Amino acid sequence: SYVLTQPPSLSVAPGQTASITCGGNNIGSKNVYWYQQKPGQAPVVVNVDRDRPSGIPERFSGSNSENTATLTISRVEPGDEADYFCQVWDSTSDHSYVFGTGTKVTVL
Amino acid sequence: QVQLQESGPGLVKPSETLSLTCSVSGGSISTSGNYWAWIRQPPEKGLEWIGSIYYRGSTYYNPSLRSRVTMSVDTSKNHFSLRLSSVTASDTAVYFCARLELLPGAIFPYYFDSWGQGTLVTVSS
């Protein structure tokens, strides 16, 4: 089955840039989606294959190439502290949906 | 804006069957192009897709859970359901229901755009 690997944690100061990576075999050939999950809440999609859903700040952007996809949060704010998960659709495995291992972003 | 709400027992005994229902409001479960899914999250861990269903009955299950999972849709009640048999402590998790929308030009729905708030199910005797 397809595996997506993320760093467990990332710390960033307010106003700085956070780059969250998602590694997968030839992930550059897939559409990648990113979710933000705050404690006790359901995940919310913040990036849809390099685009932002309506209502998501421009500070959130995505990129994807070869074996790594990246979610970049510019001008980080305290409210961005959350867990972030990447996700792909795996057409080769019975139309499965695969999530990354998750990254906890801490705003210092 | 579609809304989803999970319901079901919060405690299930080992070896028994976990049963949950997701009620959909603000839209019809029979809307063409909308798929419906279950996802779970063990305490302090990541997300795991369990399965998806289309209102016409097509189902797609996580290969690792396929032998124990059954999903169904009741269009008259605008809800869909999950049954997970032979549960063990490792099935303890928050269970979310979610919607997948087939976007124009896409061959399959690719991501989860609406989620329920989640319900904690504990497997314990």
Side-chain angles (χ1 to χ4, degrees):
Chain A
S1 62
Y2 196 73
V3 176
L4 295 173
T5 303
Q6 299 179 235
S9 61
L10 178 66
S11 296
V12 58
Q16 299 303 303
T17 297
S19 295
I20 307 165
T21 59
C22 175
N25 184 35
N26 197 28
I27 195 173
S29 67
K30 299 179 181 296
N31 297 332
V32 181
Y33 307 91
W34 289 91
Y35 301 84
Q36 176 193 69
Q37 185 182 31
K38 296 183 178 180
Q41 298 183 18
V44 174
V45 60
V46 294
N47 195 263
V48 174
D49 189 34
R50 307 180 187 86
D51 289 329
R52 280 183 314 278
S54 60
I56 300 301
E58 291 184 3
R59 301 184 297 104
F60 290 82
S61 62
S63 62
N64 188 13
S65 179
E66 298 184 351
N67 295 312
T68 303
T70 302
L71 176 70
T72 300
I73 311 173
S74 304
R75 303 181 299 284
V76 166
E77 300 176 356
D80 298 332
E81 184 163 292
D83 293 326
Y84 291 83
F85 296 91
C86 56
Q87 176 250 306
V88 301
W89 172 63
D90 184 7
S91 61
T92 64
S93 180
D94 204 19
H95 303 293
S96 293
Y97 298 88
V98 180
F99 288 95
T101 49
T103 298
K104 179 173 181 56
V105 171
T106 300
V107 181
L108 300 171
Chain B
Q1 176 84 7
V2 68
Q3 294 185 322
L4 302 97
Q5 178 68 57
E6 305 88 352
S7 61
L11 181 64
V12 181
K13 290 182 169 56
S15 80
E16 295 190 345
T17 297
L18 177 160
S19 295
L20 295 174
T21 296
C22 181
S23 299
V24 178
S25 58
S28 172
I29 202 169
S30 304
T31 298
S32 178
N34 282 355
Y35 290 66
W36 308 95
W38 289 98
I39 298 141
R40 69 181 183 178
Q41 185 173 36
E44 304 303 318
K45 294 189 177 179
L47 300 164
E48 180 181 36
W49 170 72
I50 299 170
S52 304
I53 188 167
Y54 193 50
Y55 77 93
R56 291 180 178 174
S58 302
T59 53
Y60 309 86
Y61 297 142
N62 187 321
S64 69
L65 297 170
R66 181 179 292 123
S67 63
R68 298 194 292 130
V69 173
T70 304
M71 293 179 61
S72 60
V73 169
D74 188 331
T75 56
S76 67
K77 295 181 179 178
N78 218 40
H79 73 208
F80 62 104
S81 300
L82 168 71
R83 289 173 58 85
L84 180 66
S85 63
S86 305
V87 298
T88 68
S90 62
D91 294 309
T92 294
V94 174
Y95 286 74
F96 296 97
C97 59
R99 184 185 73 169
L100 301 126
E101 185 179 26
L102 183 64
L103 299 177
I107 62 173
F108 210 76
Y110 298 139
Y111 71 98
F112 309 92
D113 67 342
S114 297
W115 296 63
Q117 65 184 25
T119 186
L120 174 63
V121 178
T122 301
V123 179
S124 175
S125 55

Coordinates of all heavy atoms in Angstrom, one line a residue, chain B residues 35-116:
Chain B
Y35 N -20.2 11.2 -2.6 CA -19.8 9.9 -2.0 C -19.7 10.2 -0.5 O -19.5 11.3 0.0 CB -18.5 9.4 -2.5 CG -18.5 8.9 -3.9 CD1 -18.7 9.7 -5.0 CD2 -18.3 7.5 -4.2 CE1 -18.8 9.3 -6.3 CE2 -18.4 7.0 -5.5 CZ -18.6 7.9 -6.5 OH -18.6 7.5 -7.8
W36 N -19.9 9.1 0.3 CA -19.9 9.3 1.8 C -18.9 8.3 2.4 O -18.7 7.2 1.9 CB -21.3 9.0 2.3 CG -22.3 9.9 1.5 CD1 -23.0 9.5 0.4 CD2 -22.6 11.3 1.7 NE1 -23.7 10.6 0.0 CE2 -23.5 11.7 0.8 CE3 -22.2 12.2 2.7 CZ2 -24.0 13.0 0.7 CZ3 -22.7 13.5 2.7 CH2 -23.6 13.9 1.7
A37 N -18.2 8.8 3.4 CA -17.1 8.0 3.9 C -17.1 8.0 5.5 O -17.6 8.8 6.2 CB -15.8 8.6 3.4
W38 N -16.3 7.0 6.0 CA -16.0 6.9 7.4 C -14.5 6.9 7.5 O -13.7 6.2 6.7 CB -16.5 5.6 8.0 CG -18.0 5.6 8.1 CD1 -18.9 5.0 7.3 CD2 -18.8 6.2 9.2 NE1 -20.2 5.2 7.8 CE2 -20.1 5.9 9.0 CE3 -18.4 6.9 10.4 CZ2 -21.1 6.3 9.8 CZ3 -19.4 7.3 11.2 CH2 -20.8 7.0 10.9
I39 N -14.0 7.6 8.5 CA -12.6 7.8 8.8 C -12.4 7.7 10.3 O -13.3 8.1 11.0 CB -12.1 9.2 8.3 CG1 -12.2 9.3 6.8 CG2 -10.6 9.4 8.7 CD1 -12.6 10.6 6.3
R40 N -11.4 7.1 10.8 CA -11.2 7.0 12.2 C -9.8 7.5 12.7 O -8.9 7.6 11.8 CB -11.4 5.6 12.7 CG -10.3 4.6 12.3 CD -10.7 3.2 12.9 NE -9.7 2.2 12.5 CZ -9.7 0.9 12.9 NH1 -10.7 0.5 13.7 NH2 -8.7 0.1 12.6
Q41 N -9.7 7.8 13.9 CA -8.5 8.4 14.5 C -8.3 7.8 15.9 O -9.0 8.3 16.8 CB -8.5 9.9 14.5 CG -7.2 10.6 14.9 CD -7.3 12.1 14.7 OE1 -8.3 12.7 14.9 NE2 -6.1 12.7 14.4
P42 N -7.4 6.9 16.1 CA -7.1 6.4 17.5 C -6.6 7.6 18.3 O -6.0 8.5 17.8 CB -6.1 5.3 17.3 CG -6.3 4.9 15.8 CD -6.7 6.1 15.1
P43 N -6.8 7.5 19.6 CA -6.3 8.6 20.5 C -4.8 8.9 20.2 O -4.0 8.0 20.2 CB -6.5 8.0 21.9 CG -7.6 7.0 21.7 CD -7.4 6.4 20.4
E44 N -4.6 10.2 20.0 CA -3.2 10.7 19.8 C -2.5 10.2 18.6 O -1.3 10.2 18.5 CB -2.4 10.5 21.1 CG -2.9 11.0 22.4 CD -3.2 12.5 22.3 OE1 -2.3 13.2 21.8 OE2 -4.3 13.0 22.8
K45 N -3.3 9.7 17.6 CA -2.7 9.1 16.4 C -3.3 9.8 15.2 O -4.0 10.7 15.2 CB -2.9 7.6 16.4 CG -2.1 6.9 17.5 CD -2.2 5.4 17.3 CE -1.4 4.7 18.4 NZ -1.4 3.2 18.2
G46 N -2.9 9.2 14.0 CA -3.3 9.8 12.8 C -4.6 9.3 12.3 O -5.3 8.5 12.9
L47 N -5.0 9.7 11.0 CA -6.2 9.4 10.4 C -6.1 8.2 9.6 O -5.1 7.9 8.9 CB -6.7 10.6 9.5 CG -6.8 11.9 10.3 CD1 -6.9 13.1 9.2 CD2 -8.1 11.9 11.1
E48 N -7.2 7.4 9.6 CA -7.3 6.1 8.8 C -8.6 6.1 8.1 O -9.7 6.1 8.7 CB -7.1 4.9 9.6 CG -7.1 3.6 8.8 CD -7.0 2.4 9.7 OE1 -7.5 2.4 10.9 OE2 -6.4 1.4 9.2
W49 N -8.6 6.0 6.7 CA -9.8 5.9 6.0 C -10.3 4.4 6.1 O -9.6 3.5 6.0 CB -9.5 6.2 4.5 CG -10.6 5.8 3.5 CD1 -11.8 6.4 3.4 CD2 -10.6 4.7 2.6 NE1 -12.5 5.8 2.4 CE2 -11.8 4.8 1.9 CE3 -9.7 3.7 2.3 CZ2 -12.2 3.8 0.9 CZ3 -10.0 2.8 1.3 CH2 -11.2 2.9 0.6
I50 N -11.6 4.3 6.4 CA -12.3 3.0 6.6 C -12.9 2.5 5.4 O -12.8 1.4 4.9 CB -13.3 3.1 7.8 CG1 -12.6 3.5 9.1 CG2 -14.0 1.7 7.9 CD1 -13.6 3.8 10.2
G51 N -13.7 3.4 4.8 CA -14.4 3.0 3.5 C -15.3 4.2 3.0 O -15.5 5.2 3.7
S52 N -15.8 4.0 1.8 CA -16.7 5.0 1.2 C -17.8 4.3 0.5 O -17.7 3.1 0.1 CB -15.9 5.8 0.1 OG -14.8 6.4 0.7
I53 N -18.9 5.0 0.3 CA -20.1 4.4 -0.3 C -20.8 5.5 -1.2 O -20.8 6.7 -0.8 CB -21.1 3.9 0.7 CG1 -22.2 3.1 0.1 CG2 -21.6 5.0 1.7 CD1 -23.0 2.2 1.1
Y54 N -21.4 5.1 -2.3 CA -22.2 5.9 -3.1 C -23.6 5.6 -2.9 O -23.9 4.4 -2.5 CB -21.8 5.7 -4.6 CG -22.4 6.7 -5.6 CD1 -22.2 8.1 -5.3 CD2 -23.1 6.4 -6.7 CE1 -22.7 9.1 -6.2 CE2 -23.5 7.3 -7.6 CZ -23.3 8.7 -7.3 OH -23.8 9.6 -8.2
Y55 N -24.5 6.5 -3.0 CA -25.9 6.3 -2.6 C -26.6 5.1 -3.4 O -27.5 4.5 -2.9 CB -26.8 7.6 -2.8 CG -27.2 7.9 -4.2 CD1 -28.4 7.5 -4.8 CD2 -26.3 8.7 -5.0 CE1 -28.8 7.8 -6.1 CE2 -26.7 9.0 -6.3 CZ -27.9 8.6 -6.8 OH -28.2 8.9 -8.1
R56 N -26.0 4.8 -4.6 CA -26.6 3.7 -5.3 C -26.1 2.4 -4.8 O -26.4 1.3 -5.3 CB -26.2 3.9 -6.8 CG -26.9 5.0 -7.5 CD -26.6 5.2 -8.9 NE -27.3 6.3 -9.6 CZ -27.1 6.7 -10.8 NH1 -26.2 6.1 -11.5 NH2 -27.8 7.6 -11.3
G57 N -25.1 2.4 -3.8 CA -24.7 1.2 -3.2 C -23.3 0.7 -3.4 O -22.8 -0.2 -2.8
S58 N -22.6 1.4 -4.4 CA -21.2 1.0 -4.6 C -20.4 1.3 -3.3 O -20.5 2.3 -2.7 CB -20.6 1.8 -5.8 OG -21.4 1.6 -6.9
T59 N -19.5 0.3 -3.0 CA -18.7 0.5 -1.8 C -17.3 0.3 -2.1 O -16.9 -0.5 -3.0 CB -19.2 -0.5 -0.7 OG1 -19.1 -1.9 -1.2 CG2 -20.5 -0.2 -0.1
Y60 N -16.4 0.9 -1.3 CA -15.0 0.8 -1.4 C -14.4 0.8 0.0 O -14.7 1.7 0.8 CB -14.4 2.1 -2.1 CG -15.1 2.3 -3.5 CD1 -16.3 3.1 -3.5 CD2 -14.6 1.8 -4.6 CE1 -16.9 3.3 -4.7 CE2 -15.3 2.0 -5.8 CZ -16.4 2.8 -5.9 OH -17.1 3.0 -7.0
Y61 N -13.7 -0.2 0.3 CA -13.2 -0.4 1.7 C -11.7 -0.4 1.7 O -11.0 -0.9 0.8 CB -13.7 -1.8 2.2 CG -15.2 -1.9 2.4 CD1 -15.9 -3.0 2.1 CD2 -16.0 -0.8 2.8 CE1 -17.3 -3.2 2.2 CE2 -17.4 -0.9 2.9 CZ -18.0 -2.0 2.6 OH -19.4 -2.1 2.7
N62 N -11.1 0.0 2.9 CA -9.7 -0.1 3.1 C -9.3 -1.6 3.1 O -9.9 -2.4 3.9 CB -9.4 0.5 4.5 CG -7.9 0.6 4.8 OD1 -7.2 -0.3 4.5 ND2 -7.5 1.7 5.5
P63 N -8.4 -2.0 2.3 CA -8.0 -3.4 2.3 C -7.7 -4.0 3.6 O -8.0 -5.2 3.8 CB -6.8 -3.4 1.3 CG -7.0 -2.2 0.5 CD -7.6 -1.2 1.3
S64 N -7.1 -3.2 4.5 CA -6.8 -3.7 5.8 C -7.9 -4.0 6.7 O -7.8 -4.7 7.7 CB -5.8 -2.8 6.5 OG -6.5 -1.6 6.9
L65 N -9.1 -3.5 6.4 CA -10.3 -3.6 7.2 C -11.4 -4.3 6.5 O -12.5 -4.6 7.1 CB -10.8 -2.3 7.7 CG -9.9 -1.5 8.6 CD1 -10.4 0.0 8.8 CD2 -9.7 -2.1 9.9
R66 N -11.2 -4.6 5.2 CA -12.3 -5.1 4.3 C -13.1 -6.3 4.9 O -14.3 -6.3 4.8 CB -11.8 -5.4 3.0 CG -12.9 -5.9 2.0 CD -12.3 -6.2 0.6 NE -11.9 -5.0 0.0 CZ -10.6 -4.8 -0.5 NH1 -9.7 -5.7 -0.3 NH2 -10.3 -3.7 -1.1
S67 N -12.4 -7.2 5.5 CA -13.1 -8.4 6.0 C -14.0 -8.2 7.2 O -14.9 -9.0 7.5 CB -12.0 -9.5 6.4 OG -11.3 -9.0 7.5
R68 N -13.9 -7.0 7.8 CA -14.8 -6.7 9.0 C -15.7 -5.6 8.8 O -16.5 -5.3 9.6 CB -13.9 -6.4 10.2 CG -12.9 -7.5 10.6 CD -12.4 -7.3 12.0 NE -11.4 -6.1 12.0 CZ -11.5 -5.1 12.9 NH1 -12.4 -5.1 13.8 NH2 -10.6 -4.2 12.9
V69 N -15.7 -4.9 7.6 CA -16.5 -3.7 7.4 C -17.6 -3.9 6.5 O -17.5 -4.6 5.5 CB -15.6 -2.5 6.8 CG1 -16.4 -1.3 6.4 CG2 -14.5 -2.2 7.8
T70 N -18.8 -3.3 6.9 CA -19.9 -3.2 6.0 C -20.5 -1.8 6.1 O -20.7 -1.3 7.2 CB -21.0 -4.2 6.4 OG1 -20.5 -5.5 6.4 CG2 -22.2 -4.1 5.4
M71 N -20.7 -1.1 4.9 CA -21.3 0.2 4.9 C -22.6 0.1 4.1 O -22.7 -0.7 3.2 CB -20.4 1.2 4.3 CG -19.1 1.5 5.1 SD -18.0 2.7 4.3 CE -19.1 4.1 4.2
S72 N -23.6 0.9 4.5 CA -24.9 0.9 3.8 C -25.4 2.3 3.8 O -25.0 3.2 4.6 CB -25.9 0.0 4.5 OG -26.1 0.3 5.8
V73 N -26.4 2.6 2.9 CA -27.1 3.9 2.8 C -28.6 3.7 2.9 O -29.1 2.7 2.4 CB -26.7 4.5 1.4 CG1 -27.6 5.7 1.2 CG2 -25.3 4.9 1.4
D74 N -29.2 4.6 3.6 CA -30.7 4.6 3.7 C -31.1 6.0 3.2 O -31.1 7.0 3.9 CB -31.2 4.4 5.1 CG -32.7 4.2 5.2 OD1 -33.4 4.8 4.4 OD2 -33.1 3.5 6.2
T75 N -31.5 6.0 1.9 CA -31.9 7.3 1.3 C -33.2 7.9 1.9 O -33.3 9.1 1.9 CB -32.0 7.1 -0.2 OG1 -33.0 6.1 -0.5 CG2 -30.7 6.7 -0.9
S76 N -34.1 7.0 2.4 CA -35.3 7.5 2.9 C -35.1 8.3 4.2 O -35.8 9.2 4.6 CB -36.3 6.4 3.2 OG -35.8 5.5 4.2
K77 N -34.0 7.9 4.9 CA -33.7 8.6 6.2 C -32.5 9.6 6.0 O -32.1 10.2 7.0 CB -33.3 7.6 7.3 CG -34.5 6.7 7.7 CD -34.1 5.7 8.7 CE -35.3 4.8 9.1 NZ -34.9 3.8 10.2
N78 N -32.0 9.7 4.8 CA -30.9 10.5 4.5 C -29.7 10.3 5.4 O -29.1 11.2 6.0 CB -31.3 12.0 4.6 CG -30.6 12.9 3.5 OD1 -30.4 12.4 2.4 ND2 -30.2 14.1 3.9
H79 N -29.4 9.0 5.6 CA -28.2 8.7 6.4 C -27.5 7.5 5.9 O -28.0 6.7 5.1 CB -28.6 8.5 7.9 CG -29.3 7.3 8.3 ND1 -30.2 7.2 9.4 CD2 -29.3 6.0 7.8 CE1 -30.7 6.0 9.5 NE2 -30.2 5.3 8.5
F80 N -26.3 7.3 6.3 CA -25.5 6.1 6.0 C -24.9 5.5 7.2 O -24.8 6.2 8.3 CB -24.5 6.4 4.9 CG -23.4 7.4 5.2 CD1 -22.1 7.0 5.6 CD2 -23.6 8.8 5.2 CE1 -21.1 7.9 5.9 CE2 -22.6 9.7 5.5 CZ -21.4 9.2 5.8
S81 N -24.5 4.3 7.2 CA -24.1 3.5 8.4 C -22.8 2.8 8.2 O -22.4 2.4 7.0 CB -25.2 2.6 8.8 OG -26.4 3.3 9.1
L82 N -22.2 2.4 9.3 CA -21.0 1.6 9.4 C -21.2 0.5 10.4 O -21.7 0.7 11.4 CB -19.8 2.5 9.8 CG -18.5 1.8 10.2 CD1 -17.8 1.2 9.0 CD2 -17.6 2.7 11.0
R83 N -20.8 -0.7 10.0 CA -20.7 -1.8 10.9 C -19.3 -2.4 10.8 O -18.8 -2.6 9.7 CB -21.7 -2.9 10.5 CG -23.1 -2.5 10.9 CD -24.1 -3.5 10.3 NE -23.9 -4.8 10.9 CZ -24.4 -5.3 12.0 NH1 -25.1 -4.5 12.8 NH2 -24.2 -6.5 12.4
L84 N -18.6 -2.5 12.0 CA -17.3 -3.1 12.0 C -17.4 -4.3 13.0 O -17.6 -4.1 14.2 CB -16.3 -2.0 12.5 CG -14.8 -2.5 12.7 CD1 -14.2 -2.8 11.3 CD2 -14.0 -1.4 13.4
S85 N -17.1 -5.5 12.5 CA -17.3 -6.6 13.3 C -16.0 -7.1 14.1 O -14.9 -6.6 13.8 CB -17.8 -7.8 12.4 OG -16.8 -8.1 11.5
S86 N -16.2 -7.9 15.0 CA -15.1 -8.5 15.8 C -14.1 -7.5 16.3 O -12.9 -7.6 16.1 CB -14.4 -9.6 14.9 OG -15.3 -10.5 14.4
V87 N -14.6 -6.5 17.0 CA -13.7 -5.4 17.4 C -12.8 -5.8 18.5 O -13.1 -6.7 19.3 CB -14.5 -4.2 17.8 CG1 -15.4 -3.6 16.6 CG2 -15.4 -4.5 19.0
T88 N -11.7 -5.1 18.6 CA -10.7 -5.3 19.7 C -10.3 -3.9 20.2 O -10.8 -2.9 19.6 CB -9.4 -6.0 19.2 OG1 -8.7 -5.1 18.3 CG2 -9.7 -7.3 18.5
A89 N -9.5 -3.9 21.2 CA -9.1 -2.6 21.8 C -8.4 -1.7 20.7 O -8.5 -0.4 20.8 CB -8.1 -2.8 22.9
S90 N -7.8 -2.2 19.7 CA -7.2 -1.4 18.7 C -8.2 -0.7 17.8 O -7.8 0.2 17.0 CB -6.2 -2.3 17.8 OG -7.0 -3.3 17.2
D91 N -9.4 -1.0 17.9 CA -10.5 -0.3 17.2 C -11.0 0.9 18.0 O -11.9 1.7 17.5 CB -11.7 -1.2 16.8 CG -11.2 -2.3 15.9 OD1 -10.7 -2.0 14.8 OD2 -11.5 -3.5 16.2
T92 N -10.5 1.1 19.2 CA -10.9 2.3 19.9 C -10.4 3.6 19.2 O -9.2 3.7 18.9 CB -10.3 2.3 21.3 OG1 -10.9 1.2 22.1 CG2 -10.5 3.6 22.1
A93 N -11.3 4.5 18.9 CA -10.9 5.6 18.1 C -12.1 6.6 18.1 O -13.2 6.3 18.4 CB -10.6 5.2 16.7
V94 N -11.8 7.8 17.6 CA -12.8 8.8 17.2 C -13.2 8.4 15.8 O -12.3 8.3 14.9 CB -12.4 10.2 17.3 CG1 -13.4 11.2 16.8 CG2 -12.1 10.6 18.8
Y95 N -14.5 8.2 15.5 CA -14.9 7.9 14.2 C -15.6 9.1 13.6 O -16.6 9.7 14.2 CB -15.9 6.7 14.3 CG -15.2 5.4 14.5 CD1 -14.7 5.1 15.8 CD2 -15.0 4.5 13.5 CE1 -14.0 3.9 16.0 CE2 -14.3 3.3 13.7 CZ -13.8 3.0 14.9 OH -13.2 1.8 15.2
F96 N -15.1 9.5 12.4 CA -15.7 10.6 11.7 C -16.4 10.1 10.4 O -16.0 9.2 9.8 CB -14.6 11.6 11.2 CG -13.8 12.2 12.2 CD1 -12.5 11.7 12.6 CD2 -14.2 13.4 12.8 CE1 -11.8 12.4 13.6 CE2 -13.5 14.1 13.8 CZ -12.2 13.5 14.2
C97 N -17.6 10.8 10.1 CA -18.1 10.6 8.8 C -17.8 11.8 8.0 O -17.6 12.9 8.5 CB -19.6 10.3 8.8 SG -20.7 11.5 9.6
A98 N -17.8 11.7 6.7 CA -17.4 12.8 5.8 C -18.0 12.6 4.4 O -18.5 11.5 4.0 CB -15.8 12.8 5.7
R99 N -17.9 13.7 3.7 CA -18.4 13.7 2.3 C -17.3 13.8 1.3 O -16.3 14.6 1.6 CB -19.4 14.8 2.1 CG -20.0 14.8 0.7 CD -20.9 16.0 0.4 NE -20.1 17.3 0.2 CZ -20.6 18.4 -0.3 NH1 -21.9 18.5 -0.5 NH2 -19.8 19.5 -0.4
L100 N -17.4 13.1 0.2 CA -16.5 13.3 -0.9 C -17.3 13.8 -2.1 O -18.3 13.2 -2.4 CB -15.8 12.0 -1.3 CG -14.9 11.3 -0.2 CD1 -15.4 9.9 -0.1 CD2 -13.5 11.4 -0.6
E101 N -16.9 14.8 -2.7 CA -17.6 15.4 -3.9 C -16.9 15.1 -5.2 O -15.7 15.5 -5.3 CB -17.9 16.9 -3.7 CG -18.8 17.5 -4.7 CD -19.0 19.0 -4.5 OE1 -18.2 19.6 -3.9 OE2 -20.0 19.5 -5.0
L102 N -17.6 14.6 -6.1 CA -17.0 14.4 -7.4 C -17.0 15.7 -8.2 O -18.1 16.2 -8.5 CB -17.7 13.3 -8.2 CG -17.2 12.9 -9.6 CD1 -15.8 12.3 -9.5 CD2 -18.2 12.0 -10.3
L103 N -15.8 16.3 -8.4 CA -15.7 17.6 -9.1 C -15.8 17.4 -10.6 O -15.5 16.3 -11.1 CB -14.4 18.2 -8.7 CG -14.3 18.5 -7.2 CD1 -12.9 19.1 -6.9 CD2 -15.4 19.4 -6.7
P104 N -16.2 18.4 -11.3 CA -16.3 18.4 -12.7 C -15.0 18.0 -13.4 O -13.9 18.5 -13.0 CB -16.7 19.8 -13.1 CG -17.4 20.4 -11.9 CD -16.7 19.7 -10.7
G105 N -15.0 17.0 -14.3 CA -13.8 16.6 -14.9 C -13.0 15.5 -14.2 O -12.1 14.9 -14.8
A106 N -13.4 15.3 -13.0 CA -12.6 14.3 -12.2 C -13.2 12.9 -12.5 O -14.4 12.7 -12.8 CB -12.7 14.6 -10.7
I107 N -12.4 11.9 -12.3 CA -12.9 10.5 -12.6 C -13.3 9.8 -11.3 O -14.0 8.8 -11.3 CB -11.8 9.6 -13.2 CG1 -10.5 9.5 -12.3 CG2 -11.4 10.2 -14.5 CD1 -9.5 8.5 -12.8
F108 N -13.0 10.5 -10.1 CA -13.3 9.9 -8.8 C -13.2 11.1 -7.8 O -12.5 12.0 -8.0 CB -12.4 8.8 -8.5 CG -13.0 7.7 -7.6 CD1 -13.9 6.8 -8.1 CD2 -12.8 7.6 -6.2 CE1 -14.5 5.8 -7.4 CE2 -13.3 6.7 -5.5 CZ -14.2 5.8 -6.0
P109 N -14.0 11.0 -6.7 CA -13.8 12.1 -5.7 C -12.5 11.9 -5.0 O -12.1 10.8 -4.6 CB -15.0 11.8 -4.8 CG -15.3 10.4 -4.9 CD -15.0 10.0 -6.4
Y110 N -11.7 13.0 -4.8 CA -10.4 12.9 -4.4 C -10.1 13.2 -2.9 O -9.1 12.8 -2.4 CB -9.5 13.8 -5.3 CG -9.5 13.4 -6.7 CD1 -9.5 14.4 -7.7 CD2 -9.4 12.0 -7.1 CE1 -9.5 14.0 -9.1 CE2 -9.4 11.7 -8.5 CZ -9.4 12.7 -9.4 OH -9.4 12.3 -10.7
Y111 N -11.0 14.0 -2.3 CA -10.7 14.5 -0.9 C -12.0 14.7 -0.2 O -13.1 14.8 -0.8 CB -9.9 15.7 -0.9 CG -10.6 17.0 -1.4 CD1 -11.1 17.9 -0.5 CD2 -10.7 17.3 -2.8 CE1 -11.7 19.1 -0.9 CE2 -11.4 18.4 -3.2 CZ -11.9 19.3 -2.3 OH -12.5 20.4 -2.7
F112 N -11.9 14.9 1.1 CA -13.0 15.0 2.0 C -13.3 16.4 2.3 O -12.5 17.1 3.0 CB -12.8 14.2 3.3 CG -12.3 12.8 3.1 CD1 -10.9 12.5 3.0 CD2 -13.2 11.8 2.9 CE1 -10.5 11.2 2.8 CE2 -12.8 10.5 2.7 CZ -11.4 10.2 2.6
D113 N -14.4 17.0 1.8 CA -14.7 18.4 1.9 C -15.6 18.8 3.1 O -15.6 20.0 3.5 CB -15.2 19.0 0.6 CG -16.6 18.5 0.3 OD1 -17.0 17.5 0.8 OD2 -17.2 19.1 -0.6
S114 N -16.3 17.9 3.7 CA -17.2 18.2 4.8 C -17.0 17.0 5.8 O -17.1 15.8 5.4 CB -18.6 18.3 4.4 OG -18.8 19.5 3.6
W115 N -17.0 17.3 7.1 CA -16.8 16.3 8.1 C -17.8 16.5 9.2 O -18.2 17.6 9.5 CB -15.4 16.4 8.7 CG -14.2 16.2 7.8 CD1 -13.9 16.9 6.7 CD2 -13.2 15.2 8.0 NE1 -12.7 16.4 6.2 CE2 -12.3 15.3 6.9 CE3 -13.0 14.1 8.9 CZ2 -11.2 14.5 6.8 CZ3 -11.9 13.3 8.7 CH2 -11.0 13.5 7.7
G116 N -18.2 15.4 9.9 CA -18.9 15.4 11.1 C -17.9 15.8 12.2 O -16.7 15.8 12.0

